[in-house]
Amino acid sequence: MKKLRILVVGQGGREHALGWQLSQSPLVKKIFFAPGNSGTENLGENINIKVDEIEKLADFAKKEKIDLIIVGPELPLVLGIVDFFQKKGLKIIGPTKKASLIEGSKIFAKKLMSKYNIPTAKYEIFTNFHLAEKYLKKTTYPLVIKADGLCQGKGTKVCDNQKEAEEFLKKLMVKKIFGSAGEKVVIEECLTGQEISFMVITDGKDFLSFLPSQDHKRLLDNNQGPNTGGMGAYAPVPFVNKNLIKRIEKEIVSPTISALAKEGCSYQGILYPGLILTKKGPKVLEFNCRFGDPETQPLMMLLQSDLLAIFLSLIEGKLKKKKLVFKKGAAVCVVLAAKGYPGNYEKGGIIYGLDKIKNKDIQVF
Ligand code: AMP
Ligand code: GLY
């Protein structure tokens, strides 16, 4: 079989972990990363193109005869990298611009869930600040305010009282700290329960589920400190048993995939609902149109199946014939961050001692 040239778009630990897993496939010839990082450099070749430079990426992929492109972060997906690449005849894994709205617009996701009875928190949509402010005066607390658009994970706030809610609403809709992403908001019921990440890969009809995982968003131990991009993650989740997985697949994943197809935006790629396990069952907090970071790191440590073969079957619409097989046991990822993170911090620091790690069960991404 012909060996393939792969391009991974992204620059995080997630993309390094994906590249590491792909590099073990006998089907791989060479992996490029755009822009990659100092870890991915050891797996292939880093290319100095940013994730949102879609035309440049396509030119590179054409020139270098790339056989398959895998996209890590949401930004290029929401900008329409998949539509653009497909028009150029390139093979790429990910949802189209319209299907990516499931992450790119909280309002799109909420309306879809209501229309197709997918369990989620009760909500109201506001496009007018004064109406939203009025609502905050007569409703009950706690509640959750969410900017409609992408805000690098900072557009959501759980508000314990009216004062906190009014302040956050002003930041979004009046001061516009996230620009147009915060001009429209969702105000929703605050749910309680354990949060889990549930990722599947789908060709628009069938899907395969990854192990459930859990990430840790707060900076410090014991859920203290500010929210971050994720300080660590582990899989599988001990309190998510086979029955619960089946329920999530039946009540959330399957109806979402068929809803998107019915809406004329059939979804291909990774679909990742962030779930909260309430007393009344699993409910969707948000959808992501990509792999989670850092959840992907432990998942790639556990994955036994050839990820590239899975991606290829997705492209051919033959996922149904495949299986995701995982190793026994568990994996945990701990993020080391520079002092000052998630605020301002010094960049370019050197990590020492990686050569001392000889145990194959430990990977540094
Ligand atoms: P999101 O931006 O939707 O991913 O939300 C970020 C975080 O806010 C989630 O991981 C939850 O911890 C919290 N959150 C979001 N929506 C709700 C909700 N309806 N109830 C309780 N917590 C929520
Ligand atoms: N770990 C959360 C996310 O990737 O959105």
Side-chain angles (χ1 to χ4, degrees):
M1 192 171 175
K2 185 195 162 203
K3 291 203 173 195
L4 307 181
R5 291 161 70 77
I6 312 287
L7 170 64
V8 176
V9 177
Q11 64 191 107
R14 167 182 51 201
E15 288 75 17
H16 188 185
L18 289 170
W20 174 77
Q21 176 60 238
L22 290 168
S23 69
Q24 294 166 51
S25 169
L27 305 169
V28 164
K29 187 164 182 191
K30 178 164 182 179
I31 310 180
F32 296 90
F33 297 86
N37 58 42
S38 41
T40 61
E41 219 165 50
N42 300 324
L43 292 175
E45 190 178 332
N46 286 350
I47 304 301
N48 190 15
I49 308 178
K50 294 200 196 80
V51 302
D52 59 354
E53 294 181 313
I54 291 175
E55 281 185 38
K56 275 194 193 170
L57 287 169
D59 289 345
F60 172 82
K62 274 279 177 200
K63 194 173 126 245
E64 288 292 333
K65 298 194 165 59
I66 299 294
D67 299 293
L68 187 68
I69 298 106
I70 291 129
V71 186
E74 64 277 15
L75 181 63
L77 294 167
V78 171
L79 290 175
I81 191 172
V82 169
D83 313 55
F84 192 80
F85 275 44
Q86 283 176 345
K87 263 189 217 139
K88 301 246 166 196
L90 292 160
K91 291 198 173 104
I92 182 163
I93 302 286
T96 59
K97 184 173 180 170
K98 186 162 178 214
S100 305
L101 277 177
I102 199 147
E103 174 165 1
S105 165
K106 303 263 188 210
I107 296 177
F108 174 88
K110 278 293 189 181
K111 285 185 171 167
L112 188 86
M113 287 188 274
S114 298
K115 186 168 171 187
Y116 293 92
N117 286 320
I118 296 157
T120 187
K122 289 194 203 101
Y123 69 99
E124 301 281 341
I125 292 169
F126 293 95
T127 54
N128 175 292
F129 171 72
H130 298 290
L131 292 180
E133 204 185 25
K134 218 168 156 185
Y135 177 79
L136 292 183
K137 290 195 201 324
K138 61 163 202 204
T139 186
T140 52
Y141 291 84
L143 52 68
V144 186
I145 302 183
K146 299 183 174 186
D148 177 48
L150 291 183
C151 305
Q152 295 188 311
K154 294 185 185 136
T156 292
K157 189 168 171 64
V158 179
C159 305
D160 288 322
N161 53 54
Q162 192 181 327
K163 187 167 169 275
E164 244 178 60
E166 281 173 358
E167 274 171 18
F168 190 61
L169 188 73
K170 254 187 212 144
K171 279 188 188 166
L172 294 181
M173 295 186 92
V174 181
K175 292 186 191 149
K176 302 196 182 180
I177 60 167
F178 299 117
S180 61
E183 278 175 354
K184 299 180 209 161
V185 300
V186 172
I187 301 184
E188 70 180 33
E189 165 197 19
C190 187
L191 301 171
T192 49
Q194 284 277 349
E195 279 184 56
I196 62 160
S197 303
F198 197 85
M199 282 163 238
V200 305
I201 180 164
T202 176
D203 55 15
K205 290 195 309 279
D206 299 297
F207 67 90
L208 305 172
S209 301
F210 286 86
L211 293 172
S213 56
Q214 230 184 353
D215 75 342
H216 296 266
K217 294 197 170 81
R218 306 288 285 269
L219 182 71
L220 305 171
D221 286 345
N222 302 315
N223 246 352
Q224 303 291 309
N227 266 329
T228 69
M231 295 309 295
Y234 75 95
V237 183
F239 51 83
V240 180
N241 61 25
K242 277 193 183 135
N243 284 340
L244 183 54
I245 290 176
K246 275 201 190 123
R247 187 168 174 191
I248 292 167
E249 291 176 340
K250 184 165 166 249
E251 291 178 12
I252 292 166
V253 177
S254 222
T256 304
I257 292 169
S258 51
L260 286 160
K262 279 183 203 143
E263 293 295 312
C265 47
S266 167
Y267 193 102
Q268 279 90 38
I270 305 301
L271 181 65
Y272 153 20
L275 305 174
I276 191 157
L277 307 177
T278 72
K279 284 195 183 117
K280 289 186 186 156
K283 294 192 181 188
V284 177
L285 286 179
E286 62 157 352
F287 279 108
N288 298 301
C289 60
R290 50 164 176 87
F291 278 111
D293 191 350
E295 294 95 318
T296 300
Q297 288 81 315
L299 289 177
M300 291 305 116
M301 294 297 286
L302 292 167
L303 184 65
Q304 206 160 30
S305 308
D306 182 336
L307 185 63
L308 184 52
I310 301 278
F311 283 150
L312 293 174
S313 63
L314 185 162
I315 293 277
E316 291 163 10
K318 289 181 183 163
L319 260 191
K320 202 175 184 171
K321 294 188 178 158
K322 290 282 178 187
K323 251 191 167 159
L324 280 180
V325 181
F326 294 91
K327 291 172 200 157
K328 285 216 173 74
V332 61
C333 162
V334 179
V335 172
L336 298 185
K339 199 170 177 181
Y341 177 80
N344 290 329
Y345 58 91
E346 231 174 85
K347 300 204 168 86
I350 296 172
I351 303 169
Y352 295 96
L354 297 184
D355 54 331
K356 298 206 171 74
I357 300 167
K358 306 278 187 230
N359 184 339
K360 277 205 186 111
D361 286 339
I362 300 172
Q363 289 294 327
V364 180
F365 295 125

